[in-house]
Amino acid sequence: MNVTVVGLGKIGLPLAVQFARSGMTVIGADTNPAVVDLVNAGQEPFPGEAHLGDYLAECVAAGTMSATTDTADAVSRSHAVVVVVPLFVDADARPDFGWMDSATEAIGRGLRSENQTLVCYETTLPVGTTRTRWKPMLEHVSGLVEGVDFDLVFSPERVLTGRVFADLRRYPKLVGGLGDRGAHRAVSFYEQALQFDERVDLSRANGVWDLGSAEAAEMAKLAETTYRDVNIGLANQFARFAAANGIDIHKVIEASNSQPYSHLHQPGMSVGGHCIPVYPRLYLWNDPDATVVRAARAANAGMPAYTVGLAAAAAGGDLSGKRVVVLGAAYRGGAKETAFSGVFAAVDELAARGAVVLVHDPLYTDAELARHGWAPYHLGEPVDVAIVHTDHAEYAALTAADLPDLAVLVDGRARIDPARFPGVRVVTVGKPDLMATEA
């Protein structure tokens, strides 16, 4: 089977390699010539994805993986097309389909009735998009009829960058077609393309699950990510109340989750990444009356400012002129990615309070931090206040010697051992400020 994967980003490229390793001949299509050149040379264009470098080199050498900037030509030679092009949300929480519209137009130009192409969208979408936007666009551009000359399905990606190959095995592959023929073809395609781990915890065997419609598959992805945002929002509200009332929310969550019907997530300084801050807003685009979702999104969006407020209070109420370092630019530990990271809101809030703001991240060079407009910080330099934003493993090993002259440390991720910072006022999100209580 010849397969085109449209979009060779941090999800699309590993997915293309997975297909090639499963015996398919894969063409990766991307608008970035530099990415295409690197892929054709067997070199990964971005670091950090487990096994990608080795697997990609093997597939290119074997002739089962190549790349091109000509999407229409690649599609014209393929029996299946998988689309993993980014969908963005604008400042008003409206989806910006620009990149996906361009990719879809190119796919439509490449469709051939003799190929009976299966087109699978994996990019997370508002409910109804596959049927009401992509189907008429593909039919208009190609002059073909969906369900007769080609088939269209939605199958959400459910993986996390850094561990894509493991997650492809771990989680069921969800599919939903516009008709029975497309759904059956999608199930067959993904059963050939993927291998699954045994999951005794699931209600049915791990593998490819047909949800019955594209709309159900679209909603499944929005539901699982929105659940996480709502759960974290609840944990953050609990954390704020608990800290204000002398309660350690982390002990409360551990106790609550000892009962099998409670699955409280952990509170934290921010919720970032391409998924959790974005997909609830896609759901709200479909369902603007979802007050629970809207409230949770607002609660999580307010956490960076709340955490900076903790630092200001611990520093005597004023951060003006103080050297304050935000520890961690990445949205999560171990991932070199700043998409929707809380660092942006934290830096803005600190600057508004008159602080001299510095940023540190072990995954980023000084030049990379400076490109965001941040002054880089190096461990060992004097600083007045530190705020742990990202749960990098390296931060758990920090001591007072790493942050000379430190007076206040606010731990936004519950990573720090206060015993490592004698004489420093350590405040943790979700825990009472003991020094304030003593005062």
Side-chain angles (χ1 to χ4, degrees):
M1 178 179 288
N2 295 332
V3 180
T4 291
V5 175
V6 183
L8 296 179
K10 293 186 177 182
I11 304 298
L13 180 56
L15 193 63
V17 170
Q18 168 67 32
F19 296 160
R21 297 185 77 235
S22 297
M24 299 174 177
T25 301
V26 181
I27 306 170
D30 199 281
T31 57
N32 187 336
V35 169
V36 168
D37 289 344
L38 285 170
V39 169
N40 283 328
Q43 300 175 24
E44 56 182 335
F46 45 80
E49 185 59 54
H51 309 298
L52 178 59
D54 292 339
Y55 293 168
L56 174 62
E58 292 171 2
C59 292
V60 170
T64 57
M65 174 76 201
S66 62
T68 181
T69 57
D70 192 338
T71 299
D73 177 67
V75 171
S76 72
R77 295 181 280 133
S78 296
H79 307 103
V81 177
V82 176
V83 188
V84 202
V85 174
L87 170 66
F88 297 102
V89 176
D90 67 17
D92 296 319
R94 295 172 301 196
D96 179 356
F97 292 103
W99 285 18
M100 295 198 72
D101 284 346
S102 295
T104 300
E105 191 274 337
I107 293 166
R109 286 190 285 109
L111 289 177
R112 302 288 183 269
S113 60
E114 61 268 24
N115 291 343
Q116 290 288 295
T117 310
L118 173 68
V119 182
C120 307
Y121 281 82
E122 293 212 5
T123 305
T124 304
L125 301 169
V127 174
T129 305
T130 305
R131 190 180 303 273
T132 63
R133 193 180 190 92
W134 306 141
K135 175 184 175 179
M137 187 178 293
L138 289 171
E139 289 184 332
H140 174 72
V141 174
S142 68
L144 303 179
V145 178
E146 196 279 329
V148 177
D149 303 303
F150 70 96
D151 291 294
L152 179 59
V153 303
F154 180 74
S155 179
E157 57 87 5
R158 309 178 74 200
V159 298
L160 197 64
T161 56
R163 63 183 203 198
V164 171
F165 294 106
D167 284 352
L168 286 172
R169 299 184 62 93
R170 185 177 296 123
Y171 306 132
K173 186 59 174 160
L174 311 180
V175 300
L178 300 190
D180 289 340
R181 190 182 83 163
H184 292 154
R185 293 185 65 201
V187 169
S188 176
F189 167 71
Y190 282 114
E191 285 180 342
Q192 295 176 61
L194 304 175
Q195 299 79 45
F196 297 93
D197 295 332
E198 184 179 2
R199 290 276 302 277
V200 297
D201 60 310
L202 298 177
S203 59
R204 52 176 160 151
N206 193 10
V208 184
W209 292 6
D210 180 4
L211 297 192
S213 70
E215 289 78 8
E218 288 165 339
M219 186 170 179
K221 179 57 185 286
L222 295 181
E224 67 185 37
T225 46
T226 300
Y227 162 80
R228 294 174 65 192
D229 197 43
V230 170
N231 196 318
I232 296 168
L234 179 63
N236 280 330
Q237 291 200 332
F238 283 163
R240 295 173 72 151
F241 173 83
N245 287 273
I247 301 167
D248 184 340
I249 194 59
H250 300 278
K251 291 182 179 179
V252 170
I253 290 174
E254 180 185 25
S256 298
N257 288 352
S258 67
Q259 198 259 26
Y261 303 106
S262 178
H263 306 282
L264 285 169
H265 290 7
Q266 295 298 315
M269 181 176 173
S270 70
V271 177
H274 293 280
C275 299
I276 303 180
V278 176
Y279 299 156
R281 293 191 284 177
L282 295 184
Y283 179 78
L284 286 167
W285 194 65
N286 284 126
D287 185 7
D289 296 327
T291 55
V292 172
V293 176
R294 193 175 303 278
R297 184 83 296 273
N300 290 335
M303 286 303 290
Y306 165 78
T307 308
V308 171
L310 294 179
D318 186 11
L319 294 175
S320 296
K322 295 187 183 298
R323 288 171 56 85
V324 182
V325 59
V326 179
L327 296 172
Y331 79 88
R332 67 175 169 89
K336 191 175 181 179
E337 178 61 75
T338 59
F340 295 94
S341 173
V343 67
F344 297 102
V347 167
D348 289 346
E349 180 68 19
L350 286 166
R353 290 174 178 263
V356 178
V357 188
L358 308 165
V359 177
H360 175 272
D361 194 298
L363 301 182
Y364 288 81
T365 66
D366 286 1
E368 289 171 330
L369 294 175
R371 279 198 287 272
H372 286 290
W374 302 324
Y377 172 79
H378 311 97
L379 296 178
E381 296 175 348
V383 67
D384 301 305
V385 177
I387 300 175
V388 179
H389 167 262
T390 309
D391 57 341
H392 287 313
E394 293 90 335
Y395 291 154
L398 290 177
T399 68
D402 296 309
L403 302 162
D405 298 341
L406 185 68
V408 172
L409 190 156
V410 177
D411 186 359
R413 299 294 178 183
R415 296 288 292 175
I416 299 297
D417 178 3
R420 292 173 171 267
F421 293 86
V424 176
R425 186 168 187 169
V426 178
V427 180
T428 301
V429 169
K431 295 184 179 183
D433 182 348
L434 297 180
M435 292 185 70
T437 303
E438 292 170 359

